[in-house]
Each structure stands twice: as structure tokens, then as C-alpha cells.
Amino acid sequence: MSQRRRSAAPKAVAEFARFLRTETVGGLVLLAATAVALILANTPASGIYTAIRDTEIGPHFLHLNLTVGAWAKDGLLALFFFVVGLELKRELVIGELSRFKAALLPALAAIGGMVIPAVIALSVAWGDPRAGDVWPIPVATDIAFALGVLALTGSGLPSSARIFLLSLAVVDDLGAILIIALLFTASFDLVAFGIALALLALYWFLQHKRVTAYAIYVPLAVAIWVAVHSSGVHATVAGVAMGLLTRVRRDKFEKESPCLRLEHRLQPWSAGFAVPAFALFAAGVPVNGEALGKLYTDRMALAVIIGLIVGKFVGIVGASLLAVWTKLAVLPPGLGWRDISAVAMLGGVGFTVSLLIAELSLGKADAELAKAAVLVASAAASLFAAALLARRSRAHQAE
């Protein structure tokens, strides 16, 4: 009996991990964490919620005395970006993005999805003293939320739709992180950045030499994250960089490549813990009647909303049309322009990096209003996209 129980335990853990690895479940957990955050921030429990989020943990050495919210944003989110980097690397090397023209389409779409929202936001807010600070807010797409909505409502679409969205969102967020590094980095530590590059080179060398010992990689990954964080660059870049440097092709003596092995082991932790924990501390924005009223009269708030909902859609679809028309790129297999349009609407789900940029670029009162605008715009974009994706999903299933 005891032996049966011992053998059943690993199977139960593996089954639970497989359950969490399903994006539909991950999307539901993420939405639940967001709902809890909004409830806590807008009820008498807001004081406790804020106190926990703003509690500092960690040593002062290397500026690691971060709040709980910052640890979720800079630390846990790096794990999610590592998994995203792994999947993107696999698609670029042996997947649907291994062809240059296929990979170029989401990259160009992402650029259009950054430039047009910024231009629209700047135009709407033109003349307002905050116009120069608000334009970066709608440039980013939230990968986790967008993939969650796609998993929940677009399950009937070809897998190429997910790859297109993933690639677009990664390029998009990297662009947004570059904006943060250039505009909002108070200080840049060249020595720490140099150490981070050297450690990343070591990571690549160990991968090249087929080293597989976790006892080496775990401390190395932590050291890379600390070095990137200390340099002043957004810490999630460390996750993306390591993912893109991980070996994809398996050797004859291997059952699976390091990339695929890490994806399977880390995806449940990313979807079931890291991203929901981030949402729990990032989405807790006070949304009262006064704030909601200002969303439709304040030019800064309108700039964020229109930039995300209209700008993202126009930028992504327009850049994609131009890229295919000029024959620089080709449409993903199995997808038509209606599918691209439905996925493009998901670009308006700003959330993660948009909230971060709002905090960095604006004062406290304006930042709270801008974050409320991000939440409203992201919710609207999610609903519009869900309707379009469900319709396209039914059309593909009927074929």
C-alpha cells in the first residue's frame, strides 16, 4: 500500500503540473488574481493590501531591498519572460518562425503597434503639460493577459495565431523596456552591465559545451538577474536573454533539448505562481467614481485609452498589411486577415508594462488616473478581442 502511495504522488504532481501548463487554466488563474487585487484595493482591506505590497524585503547590498510588489514585478516576472524567451527561441530555430519572412511579420507588426499608439496618444494629449510623459504608456502589450484571452476564446484558431501574438508581444515589450531604459533609468551602472554580459556569455558557453548541472545554472541565473537589476536595466531582460541563449536542438543521446526540458519544468511555476502573483500586486488600483468620471474628460486618460484600443489595432494591422503588400513578409500558415485583425485587438491589452511606465513617468495622482485608464482600455480590448476570436474560432472549426 505504501509503495502504491509513493508511486501515486509523483503522478499526481506531474498531472497537476500538466494542468497548470494549459494556457486556459493559466488565463483563468491570472484573471482571478486580477479580480482579487481590484477587490482588495477598493474595499476596507485596502490598507492591509497596500501595507503588504509596500513592505521591503531583502538586503540593501546591490539595491535588493525591494518591496513585495517590486519583487513580484522584477523577480517573478523574470521567470515568465525566461519561459517566453525559451518558446520564442524554439520557434525561431525549428518552429514556424524559422523562415525569415515568417519571423519578420510579427516584428514589423510590433513596431507598427508601438509607433502608431504613441503618435495617437501624443496627438490626443497635445497641448496638455503631461503630453510628453503620457505617450510611452500605450506602447506595450501584456503577453500573459493577451495569451490568456487567446487561450480562453480562440482555441479553434491555428497554432500560428498564438505564435504570431507571442512573437509580436515579445518584440513589443522589449521595445517598451528599451524605452524604460532610455527614458526612466535614473542611473546606469556600466560595470554591473558588463558583468551581466560576461555572465550571459558564460551561460551560452556552458550550453554550447553541453553542461546540464542545475547546481551550476541556478546560481548563475540568479547572478545574471542581480547584475542586470543592479545595472539599472529592467530586470526582466535577464529572463528573455537567458531564454534566447538556451540550446534548442537536442543531441542524439538526449530525450529532449534543454530548451524543451526547461519549458516543461518551468511553465507550471510561471503560469500558476509567478504571473498571478505579479497581477495580485500590480492590478490593485483604486477605481472610484471620481476616477471613472475623469477617464472621459481628462485628455491624458483619453490619450491612454484611445492609444491602446485604437492605436494598437491600427498599428498592428496597418504594419502587417504593408509588410505583406511589399512582400517583405508572409502571412502565418492557416491565418487570414480577419484572424490577424482579431489577434491585433489583443494588442490593446497593455496592463503589465503600461502600468509600470505610468508609475515611472507621472506623479502619484496622475499615475493613478493613468493606471485606471490602462485597466479600462485593457478590459475593453479584451472583450472586443474575445468576441472577434470566438467568431473566428467557430469559423475555423466549421471548415
Side-chain angles (χ1 to χ4, degrees), residues 23-389:
E23 283 182 349
T24 304
V25 176
L28 290 173
V29 174
L30 183 59
L31 292 175
T34 303
V36 170
L38 287 170
I39 292 171
L40 291 176
N42 292 277
T43 61
S46 61
I48 300 174
Y49 171 79
T50 303
I52 295 174
R53 184 190 63 195
D54 296 339
T55 299
E56 286 191 358
I57 301 175
H60 287 265
F61 181 63
L62 296 177
H63 309 289
L64 292 178
N65 53 320
L66 306 176
T67 64
V68 172
W71 275 112
K73 176 185 67 187
D74 294 343
L76 293 179
L77 213 57
L79 174 63
F80 169 73
F81 274 93
F82 179 51
V83 174
V84 168
L86 290 171
E87 186 164 1
L88 182 59
K89 175 68 176 293
R90 177 166 52 82
E91 291 297 331
L92 286 169
V93 175
I94 60 175
E96 295 182 12
L97 298 179
S98 56
R99 293 179 299 138
F100 177 75
K101 286 190 174 183
L104 193 59
L105 181 65
L108 294 176
I111 293 172
M114 290 186 285
V115 173
I116 300 302
V119 171
I120 288 179
L122 190 61
S123 301
V124 172
W126 191 259
D128 190 294
R130 302 161 296 179
D133 299 320
V134 74
W135 66 265
I137 296 175
V139 302
T141 295
D142 186 277
I143 302 176
F145 271 80
L147 288 177
V149 174
L150 179 62
L152 289 169
T153 60
S155 58
L157 269 68
S159 60
S160 53
R162 183 185 180 281
I163 302 304
F164 176 78
L165 176 61
L166 175 68
S167 308
L168 182 152
V170 169
V171 175
D172 185 297
D173 272 3
L174 287 176
I177 290 172
L178 181 61
I179 289 174
I180 292 172
L182 294 175
L183 299 183
F184 306 115
T185 298
S187 59
F188 178 72
D189 191 327
L190 186 59
V191 174
F193 187 71
I195 293 173
L197 290 179
L199 292 174
L200 285 169
L202 176 59
Y203 179 89
W204 173 85
F205 179 77
L206 293 173
Q207 286 286 305
H208 181 67
K209 291 298 182 180
R210 276 39 181 185
V211 175
T212 59
Y214 286 108
I216 295 176
Y217 281 115
V218 172
L220 179 59
V222 173
I224 291 171
W225 181 90
V226 171
V228 172
H229 179 270
S230 300
S231 72
V233 178
H234 200 272
T236 52
V237 172
V240 177
M242 284 188 289
L244 292 175
L245 292 174
T246 302
R247 182 165 58 86
V248 171
R249 300 186 187 278
R250 71 178 183 88
D251 293 325
K252 293 181 179 180
F253 60 85
E254 293 178 313
K255 292 183 178 179
E256 54 186 3
S257 68
C259 181
L260 194 60
R261 183 168 62 249
L262 285 169
E263 269 191 72
H264 286 166
R265 294 191 179 185
L266 295 179
Q267 175 64 21
W269 288 98
S270 173
F273 176 66
V275 177
F278 164 76
L280 181 63
F281 292 108
V285 179
V287 183
N288 50 40
E290 181 181 357
L292 290 176
K294 285 184 177 180
L295 291 179
Y296 307 102
T297 58
D298 189 280
R299 291 174 67 182
M300 178 199 68
L302 285 172
V304 173
I305 293 173
I306 297 174
L308 280 171
I309 297 176
V310 178
K312 277 292 185 180
F313 180 81
V314 172
I316 292 171
V317 174
S320 298
L321 282 168
L322 184 62
V324 173
W325 180 68
T326 57
K327 298 183 179 181
L328 288 173
V330 294
L331 283 174
L335 294 187
W337 286 113
R338 292 182 181 180
D339 302 316
I340 294 294
S341 298
V343 174
M345 184 57 70
L346 281 174
V349 183
F351 201 71
T352 312
V353 183
S354 293
L355 293 178
L356 175 61
I357 295 177
E359 288 183 355
L360 295 173
S361 63
L362 299 167
K364 185 175 182 181
D366 289 333
E368 291 298 316
L369 180 60
K371 288 194 285 185
V374 169
L375 290 177
V376 169
S378 298
S382 297
L383 292 175
F384 292 147
L388 292 173
L389 289 167

